[in-house]
Amino acid sequence: MNAPEFSRLERIDTIGEGEREIRVAATEAERAALAVRFGLKSIGRLEGVFRVRRDAAGVVARGTVRADVVQACVVTDEALPVSVDEPVALRFVDEGTPEGDEIELSEDALDTMSFDGAAIDLGEAAAETMALALDPFPRGPNAAAVLRRAGVISEEEAKPLGALAGLRAQLEKRQS
């Protein structure tokens, strides 16, 4: 597996049971590499503020990821600026924990990420949080007009069950 483009490792032995705030921010080169990975036109800012602490099952990280990105409209490819301000609630679980061992994950149903037992990667956590917060199929203001000119009609314009209406009528006739 390749190293993440935006890696900010925090050694486990520096994290205690009391909360500690850790801030991470991607450099210009890291943002450019992440834009390629996630299929974005650009990432102008990516930063995270995490409050981390250890618990019996691993490390809990809560905070916020903020980003300014430019996505491409899936129809027109026009640039769509997007701001992300996403809350984060993660539990890092040691990937060396045997699968048969049960870990209580009830603390507000935190999302889980694995780590190697030595360090957690808050940069990768911020990058993945940003990516998951984005619309996977963004459409710009001109998308509907372009689709209409191409002959694609919207769901509102399509008759509900239009193609199946005749089949339904035939079935009802047979049952009579």
Tab-separated table of all heavy atoms in Angstrom, residues 15 32 44 62 79 115 134 141 150-151:
chain	number	residue	atom	x	y	z
A	15	ILE	N	-0.144	10.042	23.429
A	15	ILE	CA	-1.567	10.302	23.672
A	15	ILE	C	-1.957	9.664	24.994
A	15	ILE	O	-1.757	8.477	25.201
A	15	ILE	CB	-2.443	9.732	22.536
A	15	ILE	CG1	-2.045	10.351	21.196
A	15	ILE	CG2	-3.921	9.969	22.830
A	15	ILE	CD1	-2.700	9.704	19.997
A	32	ALA	N	-2.499	19.107	-3.811
A	32	ALA	CA	-2.498	18.783	-5.247
A	32	ALA	C	-2.563	17.274	-5.446
A	32	ALA	O	-3.309	16.782	-6.304
A	32	ALA	CB	-1.254	19.369	-5.914
A	44	GLY	N	-8.007	23.973	-2.214
A	44	GLY	CA	-7.360	25.211	-1.783
A	44	GLY	C	-6.976	25.210	-0.319
A	44	GLY	O	-6.052	25.920	0.092
A	62	ARG	N	-12.046	13.387	18.083
A	62	ARG	CA	-13.232	14.185	17.741
A	62	ARG	C	-12.766	15.565	17.310
A	62	ARG	O	-11.768	16.066	17.813
A	62	ARG	CB	-14.156	14.331	18.941
A	62	ARG	CG	-14.770	13.044	19.403
A	62	ARG	CD	-15.688	13.323	20.621
A	62	ARG	NE	-16.190	12.109	21.189
A	62	ARG	CZ	-17.246	11.440	20.752
A	62	ARG	NH1	-17.907	11.872	19.715
A	62	ARG	NH2	-17.629	10.332	21.337
A	79	ALA	N	-16.333	24.149	-13.183
A	79	ALA	CA	-15.794	24.187	-11.829
A	79	ALA	C	-16.882	24.547	-10.829
A	79	ALA	O	-17.636	25.502	-11.031
A	79	ALA	CB	-14.659	25.200	-11.758
A	115	PHE	N	-5.174	1.281	12.788
A	115	PHE	CA	-3.826	1.827	12.831
A	115	PHE	C	-2.869	0.708	13.186
A	115	PHE	O	-3.282	-0.363	13.615
A	115	PHE	CB	-3.723	3.021	13.787
A	115	PHE	CG	-3.796	2.676	15.253
A	115	PHE	CD1	-2.646	2.593	16.016
A	115	PHE	CD2	-5.022	2.451	15.868
A	115	PHE	CE1	-2.713	2.287	17.362
A	115	PHE	CE2	-5.093	2.145	17.209
A	115	PHE	CZ	-3.933	2.057	17.968
A	134	LEU	N	-18.082	15.184	0.418
A	134	LEU	CA	-18.380	15.777	-0.894
A	134	LEU	C	-19.494	15.027	-1.612
A	134	LEU	O	-19.655	13.824	-1.457
A	134	LEU	CB	-17.109	15.752	-1.761
A	134	LEU	CG	-15.954	16.595	-1.249
A	134	LEU	CD1	-14.708	16.343	-2.098
A	134	LEU	CD2	-16.312	18.066	-1.231
A	141	PRO	N	-25.119	24.629	-12.264
A	141	PRO	CA	-26.375	25.283	-12.643
A	141	PRO	C	-26.767	25.056	-14.103
A	141	PRO	O	-27.938	25.157	-14.450
A	141	PRO	CB	-26.122	26.765	-12.364
A	141	PRO	CG	-24.632	26.905	-12.316
A	141	PRO	CD	-24.088	25.588	-11.880
A	150	ALA	N	-29.712	17.211	-24.649
A	150	ALA	CA	-29.256	15.875	-25.054
A	150	ALA	C	-30.400	14.865	-25.060
A	150	ALA	O	-30.198	13.704	-25.381
A	150	ALA	CB	-28.142	15.399	-24.121
A	151	GLY	N	-31.601	15.295	-24.676
A	151	GLY	CA	-32.758	14.410	-24.705
A	151	GLY	C	-33.009	13.663	-23.411
A	151	GLY	O	-33.875	12.784	-23.355
